[in-house]
Amino acid sequence: MSDAETVIRAYEDGPLLVRGDFELLDEQGNRIDPQRGTIALCRCDRSAQKPFCDGSHALVRRGKAARAARA
């Protein structure tokens, strides 16, 4: 790892965006290659690409908005 600053930003109803120098490990401690320097980590638990975000949270948000509009 280098001395690059790591920044983690949480987006409301969205992923954790991780930028900078980081190491990503699975539950057994095995390294996961992020294949890039900026990644989005899923927080909604609906992603088909866990631990990475695939945008599934947007579908949930749209569903909530549609239900609220019908109420």
Side-chain angles (χ1 to χ4, degrees):
M1 288 202 174
S2 69
D3 291 332
E5 179 181 18
T6 302
V7 176
I8 302 173
R9 180 173 179 189
Y11 284 85
E12 184 176 348
D13 295 327
L16 291 173
L17 200 63
V18 183
R19 288 188 171 119
D21 189 21
F22 59 88
E23 185 175 30
L24 185 59
L25 306 174
D26 68 13
E27 56 273 5
Q28 286 85 32
N30 301 309
R31 187 174 188 278
I32 298 173
D33 182 4
Q35 301 179 357
R36 59 182 63 86
T38 300
I39 60 170
L41 297 175
C42 176
R43 292 194 304 159
C44 74
D45 200 37
R46 289 177 171 81
S47 175
Q49 300 176 343
K50 291 176 192 158
F52 303 104
C53 175
D54 68 359
S56 294
H57 60 276
L59 299 174
V60 173
R61 196 168 45 239
R62 275 189 240 136
K64 287 180 184 176
R67 283 191 297 277
R70 286 189 294 242

